[in-house]
């Protein structure tokens, strides 16, 4: 199963997370790479090998929940993550397409959003 956003915690360590993003969307130029790492100096990254995501995907790793929140507050990151999600959904073979709930996703990112209907 393709992972697009993961939050995890090992015993005795702070919670951390990773976000799958489209590399071309996040890093269109070498300057964009430098600017990103100025904004997020503790963020790590690795290539993603999921077939559903298509080529040019990265995982961004945040070592704390605060760092993950900063990534999610960065418009460049959320646009690149949205591009990845759109590619997965358009492919049509993803399990995520069958279980995606826009209301639940909205509630996860907007505490003021009401969830209507089945989740």
């Amino acid at each position: 199963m393709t992972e697009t956003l993961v939050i995890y915690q090992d015993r005795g360590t702070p919670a951390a997370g990773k976000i799958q993003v489209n590399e071309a969307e996040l890093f269109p130029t070498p300057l964009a790479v430098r600017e990103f790492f100025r904004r997020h100096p503790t963020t790590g990254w690795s290539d993603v090998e999921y077939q559903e995501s298509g080529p040019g995907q990265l995982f961004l790793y945040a070592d704390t929940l605060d760092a993950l929140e900063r990534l999610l507050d960065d418009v460049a990151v959320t646009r690149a993550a949205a591009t990845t999600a759109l590619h997965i959904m358009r492919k049509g073979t993803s399990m995520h397409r069958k279980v995606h709930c826009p209301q639940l996703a909205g509630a996860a990112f907007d505490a003021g959003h009401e969830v209507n209907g089945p989740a």
Side-chain angles (χ1 to χ4, degrees):
M1 183 181 337
T2 302
E3 299 167 325
T4 54
L5 172 65
V6 178
I7 299 172
Y8 49 86
Q9 182 175 21
D10 293 326
R11 289 185 181 162
T13 65
K18 63 182 181 179
I19 305 167
Q20 188 179 163
V21 298
N22 182 276
E23 182 177 15
E25 177 80 31
L26 186 59
F27 300 136
T29 66
L31 179 60
V33 175
R34 275 186 293 180
E35 290 300 317
F36 173 83
F37 285 108
R38 281 189 188 143
R39 293 190 309 273
H40 305 286
T42 64
T43 298
W45 62 275
S46 69
D47 292 332
V48 173
E49 297 182 16
Y50 295 123
Q51 296 295 321
E52 290 178 328
S53 306
Q57 304 299 311
L58 299 174
F59 269 131
L60 301 178
Y61 292 93
D63 57 354
T64 66
L65 288 182
D66 286 339
L68 183 61
E69 185 174 357
R70 285 190 299 276
L71 284 173
L72 291 171
D73 284 340
D74 187 324
V75 173
V77 172
T78 56
R79 288 179 68 115
T83 298
T84 290
L86 184 61
H87 289 173
I88 292 169
M89 301 299 264
R90 281 186 175 166
K91 192 165 184 179
T93 58
S94 172
M95 178 186 125
H96 298 289
R97 189 173 74 93
K98 298 174 192 165
V99 299
H100 181 69
C101 175
Q103 296 86 0
L104 186 58
F109 291 102
D110 181 11
H113 182 82
E114 284 188 34
V115 177
N116 298 315

